[in-house]
Amino acid sequence: MGRDVPALVFTREDRRRYREKMHTCLDVLAQMLRESTFESERPKVGLEIELNLVDDAGMPAMRNTEVLRAIADPAWSSELGRFNLEIDISPRELTSGGPGAWEQTIRDALNHAEERAARVGVHLVMVGILPTLAESHVDESALSGDPRYKLLNEQIFAARGEDLRIRVDGVERLSMYADAITPEAACTSTQFHLQVAPREFAAYWNAAQTVAGVQTALAANSPFLFGRELWRETRIPLFEQATDTRPQEIKAQGVRPRVWFGERWITSVFDLFEENVRYFPALLPLCEDEDPQTVLDGGGAPQLGELTLHNGTIYRWNRPVYAVTDSGPHLRIENRVLPAGPTVADVIANGAFYYGLTRALVDEDRPVWTRMSFSVAEENLHAAARDGIDARLYWPGVGEVPVTELVLRRLLPLAHRGLELAGLDASWREPMLGIIEQRCVTARNGALWQAETVHHLEKSGVGDRAEALRRMTLSYKDYMHLNAPAHTWPVD
């Protein structure tokens, strides 16, 4: 939902017009899928990373407006919380440059931003949930200044009619109520984009759904929330609850949540957009002037503004995206399950594993999703979020096994094969997928390092949990800049 929106009050007429416009957009999309040419000859990949802002002591810094002004780069934008920023890395072909080209591009962008932010006393931390964040940091005053966030907050609470209940039972327990959606801002993610042809979209989306649990287990990096040690990837349950528009009675009726894994394998990208319109009322019913049918009939590529805005308020873990660029319309999958960090090297390794594995699964004669129930894929995601790299996940043909064993024996060779099919030779693949291999061999990732470091500091008598989290965050920031993968970080 990156679009700027005005501050306003919606009427019943606004909602009726918006619904009609969305159905028109759906009809036009269906026609385009049958008749139009989408940009897909040389598919591109893209990346967005959300980051946290801290002061010199490692505490949250509510200063994203000042930091954006200091960075002065249109690739950077605000996020939901005043302690968040997001960078959008320019799309590229997967085989562009050498094996380290994408990594260097990202590192250069982050180093530039860190240098500029440091001038105003702020630092960037790439982590799934900022460990020093407290409940007192996420009231309504923490919302970013852009009117779209205030409007989204108002609409979610208007739909709920009551405060948000957030409860996570993990190593420890968190139970709280929130009167704003700002707890969602605690969730900072890495989002991988993959452009695909319409005819291949369903296969790639199904493949992405099957591997979501594996991705999450390997890359878990969010073990602490508001001072409690919870799940290894606490972003997953937190995000599911922090934007929930359903009061308890509506949940009991089986109404679907807006943060949604889905409920079935698909046969077309149209299935996802049609589900969005059929199941979810509009949060932001803002109509555009464009008549999409007239644009299409005139030989143009319609923006489908109402449909895409609505799509941006439904938070699928693998979200379909329709967009129009100078090259024409295209479709892509936005993979949203992974946390930010710990390092750029880890992020690039996660991307290589995802892109390679999905490519290989799509190429299989008997797709894995035809041998696996959709509900099991969802169960894998939650088991992975809860237990991280120690998770046991189900995979067809092998049953329920440790995720590290599954990756080393079966999925890592597939990822290599997929990247090879995409045109990456061994000299490109080995450095990236080697990080995934060693993560599995050592059974270590960012979440485990965070938890072990905090426990070590607590036993060392440095102070209470809050002080241990603060010191761990400062160490994390230092190691992040060294760019050595997190499985190599010492606990000290």
Side-chain angles (χ1 to χ4, degrees), residues 59-115:
M59 300 304 293
M62 305 292 176
R63 299 175 63 188
N64 63 357
T65 301
E66 294 170 72
V67 174
L68 281 174
R69 191 179 302 119
I71 295 173
D73 184 336
W76 290 84
S77 60
S78 65
E79 259 297 323
L80 178 64
R82 294 185 184 273
F83 54 92
N84 299 144
L85 286 182
E86 179 178 79
I87 183 171
D88 187 353
I89 304 295
S90 297
R92 61 190 292 134
E93 293 178 35
L94 190 59
T95 55
S96 294
W102 208 22
E103 180 176 350
Q104 192 59 53
T105 297
I106 299 166
R107 290 196 71 191
D108 288 347
L110 295 182
N111 288 338
H112 169 76
E114 169 65 22
E115 178 188 351

Side-chain angles (χ1 to χ4, degrees), residues 303-340:
Q303 298 290 331
L304 306 183
E306 292 78 14
L307 191 66
T308 58
L309 176 60
H310 185 57
N311 184 58
T313 66
I314 297 156
Y315 306 97
R316 294 179 185 268
W317 293 114
N318 283 292
R319 175 190 275 166
V321 178
Y322 167 91
V324 180
T325 66
D326 293 341
S327 303
H330 72 257
L331 296 168
R332 63 183 190 266
I333 297 169
E334 181 185 20
N335 178 252
R336 302 164 51 84
V337 296
L338 294 187

Side-chain angles (χ1 to χ4, degrees), residues 128-146:
I129 293 175
L130 182 60
T132 53
L133 201 67
E135 291 180 43
S136 59
H137 293 129
V138 293
D139 59 17
E140 191 170 351
S141 67
L143 281 173
S144 284
D146 192 312

Side-chain angles (χ1 to χ4, degrees), residues 96 209 237 303 355 387 390 436 462:
S96 294
Q209 292 286 94
Q303 298 290 331
Y355 291 130
D387 298 328
D390 294 324
I436 300 297
V462 301

Side-chain angles (χ1 to χ4, degrees), residues 81-305:
R82 294 185 184 273
F83 54 92
N84 299 144
L85 286 182
E86 179 178 79
I87 183 171
D88 187 353
I89 304 295
S90 297
R92 61 190 292 134
E93 293 178 35
L94 190 59
T95 55
S96 294
W102 208 22
E103 180 176 350
Q104 192 59 53
T105 297
I106 299 166
R107 290 196 71 191
D108 288 347
L110 295 182
N111 288 338
H112 169 76
E114 169 65 22
E115 178 188 351
R116 293 295 185 89
R119 296 178 186 178
V120 295
V122 178
H123 306 279
L124 279 63
V125 179
M126 189 167 55
V127 63
I129 293 175
L130 182 60
T132 53
L133 201 67
E135 291 180 43
S136 59
H137 293 129
V138 293
D139 59 17
E140 191 170 351
S141 67
L143 281 173
S144 284
D146 192 312
R148 62 179 159 148
Y149 300 119
K150 183 174 187 295
L151 187 58
L152 183 65
N153 184 66
E154 291 170 351
Q155 294 303 306
I156 286 177
F157 277 90
R160 279 187 63 84
E162 62 187 56
D163 287 350
L164 285 165
R165 173 74 185 278
I166 296 174
R167 175 170 177 168
V168 185
D169 293 329
V171 178
E172 298 167 354
R173 172 179 291 183
L174 172 69
S175 181
M176 61 175 285
Y177 286 91
D179 59 2
I181 62 171
T182 35
E184 179 199 334
C187 305
T188 41
S189 65
T190 299
Q191 298 157 23
F192 290 109
H193 291 252
L194 176 62
Q195 183 181 316
V196 294
R199 67 182 180 280
E200 297 177 318
F201 190 97
Y204 272 98
W205 188 85
N206 290 341
Q209 292 286 94
T210 65
V211 304
V214 178
Q215 285 182 274
T216 302
L218 295 182
N221 196 34
S222 313
F224 292 100
L225 174 63
F226 303 148
R228 281 87 157 184
E229 183 180 357
L230 300 170
W231 289 17
R232 286 302 184 238
E233 189 47 45
T234 306
R235 277 178 52 260
I236 301 296
L238 174 60
F239 198 62
E240 289 175 341
Q241 296 175 56
T243 53
D244 199 343
T245 57
R246 307 167 303 162
Q248 291 296 328
E249 297 80 3
I250 299 299
K251 285 185 187 179
Q253 295 173 31
V255 172
R256 295 158 182 84
R258 294 191 91 93
V259 177
W260 198 34
F261 187 77
E263 61 189 12
R264 63 187 176 108
W265 307 118
I266 64 169
T267 58
S268 167
V269 64
F270 185 81
D271 295 347
L272 301 177
F273 284 106
E274 192 271 338
E275 284 180 351
N276 288 353
V277 174
R278 178 154 45 102
Y279 293 148
F280 299 100
L283 282 181
L284 302 171
L286 294 162
C287 285
E288 303 287 346
D289 294 332
E290 176 189 78
D291 182 335
Q293 189 66 61
T294 299
V295 173
L296 183 62
D297 291 344
Q303 298 290 331
L304 306 183

